[in-house]
Amino acid sequence: MQFGHFDDVRKEYVITTPKTPLPWINYLGSEDFFGLISNTAGGYAFYKDAKLLRITRYRYNNTPLDNGGRYYYIKDGETIWNPGWQPTQTELDEYTCRHGLGYTVITGKKNGLKAQMEAFVPVHDACEIHRITLTNESEAEKDVDLFSFIEFCLWNAQDDQTNFQRNFSTGEVEVIGSTIYHKTEYRERRNHFAVYSVNKEIEGFDTSRDAFIGQYNGFHDPEAVLEGKSRNSVAHGWAPIGSHHLKAQLAPGASESFVFVLGYCENPRDQKFVAPNVINKKPADELLAKYQTDAQVDAALDALHTYWENLLSTYSVKTADEKLNRLVNVWNQYQCMVTFNMSRSASYYESGMGRGMGFRDSCQDLLGFVHLIPERARERIIDIANTQFEDGSTYHQYQPLTKKGNADIGGGFNDDPLWLIAGTSAYIRETGDFSILDEPCAFDSDFSKAVPLMEHLRRSFGFTTKTRGPHNLPLIGRADWNDCLNLNCFSEEPGESFQTFGPSEGPVAESVFIAGMYVKYGNEYADLCEATGLTEEAADVRAKVAEMVDVIEDAGWDGEWFVRAYDAFSNPVGSKVCEEGQIFIEPQGMCVMAGVGLENGKAAQALKSVEERLDSKFGIVLLQPAYTKYHVELGEISSYPPGYKENAGIFCHNNPWIVCAETQLGHGDRAFEVFRKTCPVYLEEISEVHRTEPYVYCQMVAGKDAPTFGEGKNSWLTGTAAWTFTAISQYILGIQPTLSGLKVDPCIPASMDGFTLNRKYRGVEYKITVDNSAHAQKGVAEMYVNGNKIEGNVIPPVEGTTAEVKVIME
Ligand code: BGC
């Protein structure tokens, strides 16, 4: 069953009922100010940091579901309704929600009145714009009341939900004309305030939630709206809100628009006040002046469209499969931008309070983002490197606002360091900008100890080189990519964190997955050494990598697949000798991607085992057989019921590793089959099963052992976005940035006749045509650049800013 459809021309997903299986959301904002908005206008806004600078309040896991957002109430006679259906849930005559790139348009119609809400964050301003347009489509004149509503968060979202003995006394506001200023804690250490304003004269306002809603009413039946009259309340403590009351008189056919701005403003510390406890409103005045007219709003929307058009023009493909085109050209890249911006902080499943920026997560997010805005990727790499420790190990997370490592969770996740090489290498392969390697980066944010980024990469590699266990495999520490494989934790008490309980380091438990990473990213590090003239170091790194390959092929090989790990007793995990959890997906994907066993058949055998043992109709499950009981020596992985999350769920993040791995062996048909299974645009027709948005990936789909097989969870913020884009753009369609230029090496289904592709790369726009009339799966027979036949399949430097590339597959 579908709940909407794609509009490819406008690059929108059009939702046609407010009652989607779960809230289907979108993200507003590209730089500092962000909003999450659902198809019923739920969600919240924040500035830079979803925990520390939360602008509006949202209650997770609430009932009714998705309750709280930017709500516009219309009172038309006795009927009270919202264009997005929530929170009144008044049945609408018509409803659509169009989620586009950085904006959402929700339109509702009731009794001949149409109300449209356009919501977006302008490209360079710290505010959300909500333009409400009322149109009288009836034959009679209409006299309607419009009420706005948002609920302010008292900035620190965590405190806001917990520290009520303080919070109920701190709230403060000012109201001047049509503008409401939220200034809780401004009197003390904050130099920022929020503003909520409308471009018309108002009938009245409210800033006290209790006054507006009534003590025992809810968002669905606020007393002020029921009565059609604001209270002009001024909040003192309790729960400050912003609400405006406006009136519209509409002749038949007439329209009127109202521009609301919800903004974030800062003042220099010495210019906070114009009178005792009265805010200096200059930054708010400047901001609001920019959005007073429809023409200004239209221009800002146009600028947003242009911004996205430019970004997406970097990579776009045309194949005969329109679903593939929309995924690659629009939605996958869009999700990559969102994961880059948010890491794992704020979604409808990540509360924005728990996790800051993940070290490994952010490094991987870069892989799918770096071609869009390389300068921001560069900045991010340096921010991440600044949190590394001197011995090459790293914090697992850092806070986006302070950019400091998060001491609560600490370090000891032994895959983290190698991801820094992955991210940096991707950046240089994209841009050719080797100067990043000379950038001084701190250790643990101590800039007096700064050394060039290249030294950080050296220490990353060096850390894994020396941190080894009894089989000479890398020690796993608290966990590797799989946060839930906690081999040193041994937790017996509920409530202990699997990630931070127990010693971070054990001298025995080892990871074959990290060994695979060491090979893959060790080689990428050696490439960087070679390219910068460090020939001896490159040779040394390659020798160490070769030793690791031997270790994997020996202690890491189980006969038909790669072992996953060795536990703290040196017993294998992910081996046929295990009772449960005999085979895991991660080492098969990573080791084959790294090239281990390509020549001697082990790689092919491992992937065959994946197909035989882990595949399902909705994707490849993480492990089999699922753990049916809690294993204290394995940790969180065995805490989930079978089929969920890391315990044999379809963890979408690592399915693309198998896609990439299959292409290493030239299996274009199989690579595409694996790609398709978890790809949301192909699941649109079964949205009642899949449940999450059909336009973005979710972290996990319930596996075949789960009673709800096929149900997606935790959409948006997942490394799946970046890895899928890498898999489809570089490994299947085969457009691979390398240190020496753009390589074209497609591995596609034999049935595909070919494709055309536009790729902007290092200042040149390449128009690439791939001809697969041979119906091959892999292999480039001939390649022409501007009509000239070239050797090999790496495009040599060209003159000018465009080039035609023709590739003939064999
Ligand atoms: C985390 C990743 C981790 C994955 C698998 C995600 O929730 O953000 O860092 O690799 O789970 O455990």
Side-chain angles (χ1 to χ4, degrees), residues 344 355 360-361 481-483 646 651 699:
R344 306 296 169 267
R355 310 210 255 171
R360 81 158 78 91
D361 294 334
W481 170 86
N482 190 330
D483 262 338
E646 282 85 342
F651 217 88
Q699 180 206 53

Side-chain angles (χ1 to χ4, degrees), residues 648-699:
I650 298 157
F651 217 88
C652 300
H653 186 141
N654 47 39
N655 274 242
W657 294 344
I658 299 298
V659 173
C660 300
E662 291 286 359
T663 66
Q664 299 285 79
L665 292 162
H667 299 162
D669 285 331
R670 173 68 182 155
F672 196 74
E673 182 193 342
V674 176
F675 162 79
R676 252 187 81 124
K677 283 188 184 183
T678 53
C679 183
V681 303
Y682 294 94
L683 301 172
E684 189 188 13
E685 290 86 0
I686 55 157
S687 287
E688 79 286 9
V689 178
H690 189 59
R691 300 188 73 207
T692 52
E693 297 91 331
Y695 41 93
V696 289
Y697 282 90
C698 54
Q699 180 206 53

Side-chain angles (χ1 to χ4, degrees), residues 344 350 355 358 360-361 364 396 415-416 419 480-485 499 586 622 645-646 651 653-654 657 699 714 717-719:
R344 306 296 169 267
E350 302 278 8
R355 310 210 255 171
R360 81 158 78 91
D361 294 334
Q364 290 174 86
H396 195 45
D415 62 319
D416 276 329
W419 290 116
D480 58 21
W481 170 86
N482 190 330
D483 262 338
C484 302
L485 196 58
Q499 272 80 47
E586 305 102 304
L622 196 146
K645 293 273 291 175
E646 282 85 342
F651 217 88
H653 186 141
N654 47 39
W657 294 344
Q699 180 206 53
N714 193 359
L717 302 186
T718 158

Side-chain angles (χ1 to χ4, degrees), residues 5-49:
H5 56 267
F6 288 92
D7 179 337
D8 292 331
V9 175
R10 300 167 67 112
K11 301 187 174 63
E12 293 171 344
Y13 193 79
V14 187
I15 301 167
T16 47
T17 167
K19 296 169 207 168
T20 42
L22 289 166
W24 284 2
I25 74 160
N26 194 13
Y27 282 84
L28 313 175
S30 9
E31 284 178 355
D32 293 330
F33 190 103
F34 296 101
L36 284 68
I37 183 165
S38 71
N39 57 311
T40 58
Y44 59 91
F46 63 92
Y47 182 74
K48 284 191 181 172
D49 188 315

Side-chain angles (χ1 to χ4, degrees), residues 20 29 40 97 115 124 132-133 159 190 295 298 372 378 474 477 532 546 586 650 670 753 767:
T20 42
T40 58
C97 166
H124 299 301
I132 307 293
T133 309
D159 235 42
R190 295 189 185 275
D298 289 339
L372 292 174
R378 190 182 205 276
T532 51
E586 305 102 304
I650 298 157
R670 173 68 182 155
D753 294 328
K767 294 175 187 299

